[in-house]
Amino acid sequence: MIILGQIFGFIGLLFVLISIQNNKKNLILFFQIFANIFYGLQYFTLGLLSAGCMSCVSLLRCLVFYHYENKYNKKTPLYWLIVLSVIPLIISCITFDGIISLIPIICTILYTYAIWQPNLKKFRFIVTSSGIGWIFYNGIGGAYVGVISAIFEFINGLIAIIRFDIRGKKKNIKNKNMHK
């Protein structure tokens, strides 16, 4: 079961890497749907109930947000942010297994806010920052591919920040100055 869990984690990693390198929210959400399916399978297979449940919440979140992004082409309503932030808190009462089990809950709530708000720069920053929590949680929980995944996600997030938010910003400034 341990090897199977690690394989599921690796497949989840591939989808996360693809998602972070997109600059369109609907594509990010699309690939996150599959990432959460495989991360959930990883955590449940490894017996990490809190993280497995948070992957299910994250899957629901991505489905709801993707629906609003594609069908209505608008921001998901605030009530969904509230509902999808309260569900992890309720689940944490059931799955609490020490302080460490709070890391996936906190990361899930932060990530929910990151995906809900429209600013992709904030999204990349929050997602990249919460990767640090996942590194610790996965290491303690024995999700070794999850540790590697979280490190890759963190590095990938930094690359996306440089690519879109730092270099992209410089390009925009150069283009504006050239058109003056």
Side-chain angles (χ1 to χ4, degrees), residues 131-172:
I132 295 167
W134 283 111
I135 291 169
F136 289 113
Y137 179 81
N138 288 326
I140 292 168
Y144 304 117
V145 172
V147 172
I148 296 166
S149 295
I151 290 169
F152 275 127
E153 287 177 43
F154 178 76
I155 293 169
N156 197 37
L158 289 177
I159 291 168
I161 288 169
I162 292 166
R163 186 173 159 210
F164 295 119
D165 303 326
I166 296 172
R167 283 191 17 212
K169 193 176 193 179
K170 288 178 183 177
K171 283 182 184 177
N172 287 340

